[in-house]
Amino acid sequence: MRQLVSQRGVGLVEVLVALLLLAVAVLGFSAMQMTAVKATDESLMRTRALTIMRGGAEAMRANSAGINAFKAAVNGDADSITIDSATITKDSCVKNTAGAPAATDSCTIDQLATRDGLLMKSYAEDNDINVGLVPNGCPGTSGNQERQCFVASWGDTTVALSDSAANACANENGTYKNGAECFIMEAY
C-alpha cells in the first residue's frame, strides 16, 4: 500500500512535462514556418523584379537610340514628360483601340523610349518595387561596351549605389549591402 501512496500526482507531472515539450515543438515549428514564408516572399519579389528588368532591357535593345530618354523616364519622378512639344505618359503612342502600346508614325524615338520607361516604372510601382538605372552605367564599364545597370528594390532599400547611405542597395562598386532587399541586373 505504501507504494501507491508515494506515486500519487506523478501522472499529472508527466502530462505537464509532455505539454511543455509539445509547446516548445509547436513554437519551433511556427518559427520555421515564418522563415519559410519570408523566404517565399523574397523569392516572389526577386522574380517580379527580374521580370520587370528583363522587359526594360528588351525595350532598350529594341530602341537603342532612345536609351538616354528611357533612362531619364525611369529615373525621374514625373508621370509625364514633355518631349518635342508632346506630353508623353505611359499610355502615349497607342494606336489600337484595345489600349495596347503600339508605335505610331507620330511618335519619335525618344518619345517611344520615354513611354517605355514610364510604362516599366508604373508596372514596377504597381508591384511595390522601385526601379532605376545607374546614371553612369554599371560600375567598372565604359566605352563601347558600357553596360546599363537596372536596380530594383523593395521594402526599405533604395535603388541607390552608395557607400554612405545605409539603406542603399549596394556600394558604389556594385557589391550588395548586407540585408538589402534588391536586385541588380546588367543590360546592354
Side-chain angles (χ1 to χ4, degrees), residues 12 36 82 141:
L12 182 60
T82 301
T141 66

Side-chain angles (χ1 to χ4, degrees), residues 53 56-62 64 67 133 138 141 143-150 185-188:
M53 290 188 299
E58 290 301 320
M60 285 192 325
R61 282 188 199 108
S64 60
I67 287 178
L133 281 155
C138 291
T141 66
N144 292 337
Q145 290 297 321
E146 180 181 353
R147 295 183 193 112
Q148 302 300 319
C149 268
F150 279 102
M185 183 182 91
E186 291 183 355
Y188 53 98

Side-chain angles (χ1 to χ4, degrees), residues 4 13 15-16 42 74-75 97 102 115 119-120 130 135 166 183:
L4 292 176
V13 171
V15 169
L16 289 175
E42 179 76 13
V74 171
N75 289 340
T97 56
R115 187 272 323 261
L119 189 61
M120 183 186 96
N130 302 310
F183 196 72

Side-chain angles (χ1 to χ4, degrees), residues 71-141:
K71 191 183 288 191
V74 171
N75 289 340
D77 292 330
D79 291 333
S80 64
I81 298 173
T82 301
I83 297 178
D84 300 329
S85 304
T87 302
I88 305 299
T89 68
K90 66 181 179 73
D91 298 318
S92 296
C93 304
V94 176
K95 186 176 185 178
N96 59 32
T97 56
T104 65
D105 294 335
S106 62
C107 288
T108 66
I109 288 173
D110 285 343
Q111 289 171 341
L112 287 171
T114 300
R115 187 272 323 261
D116 291 343
L118 293 173
L119 189 61
M120 183 186 96
K121 189 170 79 170
S122 173
Y123 183 74
E125 289 170 357
D126 290 345
N127 285 280
D128 297 323
I129 296 173
N130 302 310
V131 293
L133 281 155
V134 176
N136 298 322
C138 291
T141 66

